[in-house]
Amino acid sequence: MPKRISGIELYDLQELSKKLGVHFVTLERYCRQGKIRAQKIGRSWQVSGENLKAFINAEK
């Protein structure tokens, strides 16, 4: 279940890993390379619902 902050859905990489069937480390690398737009909050990467949709659409 995504977190909601100010009406924005935020997903952590562990959650996305399960949803997308992609290893956590791969998603982390995508964030560092800019393939997925994400923000690092504390020690974890957070991906907004909007950025997740953009990533999925770019993969098609």
Side-chain angles (χ1 to χ4, degrees):
M1 189 74 151
K3 298 175 193 170
R4 281 194 165 283
I5 299 176
S6 298
I8 299 171
E9 292 179 339
L10 293 175
Y11 298 88
D12 65 18
L13 296 187
Q14 292 290 348
E15 187 175 2
L16 287 181
S17 176
K18 293 174 189 172
K19 281 184 174 278
L20 300 175
V22 178
H23 197 275
F24 169 85
V25 175
T26 302
L27 291 174
E28 190 175 69
R29 185 175 62 243
Y30 287 173
C31 290
R32 277 190 255 114
Q33 292 174 345
K35 291 182 180 182
I36 299 176
R37 290 193 65 199
Q39 291 288 12
K40 195 161 189 186
I41 300 174
R43 295 179 139 204
S44 67
W45 289 95
Q46 300 292 318
V47 180
S48 71
E50 185 177 309
N51 289 337
L52 176 59
K53 287 177 189 174
F55 171 73
I56 291 170
N57 289 332
E59 291 291 310
K60 292 183 180 178

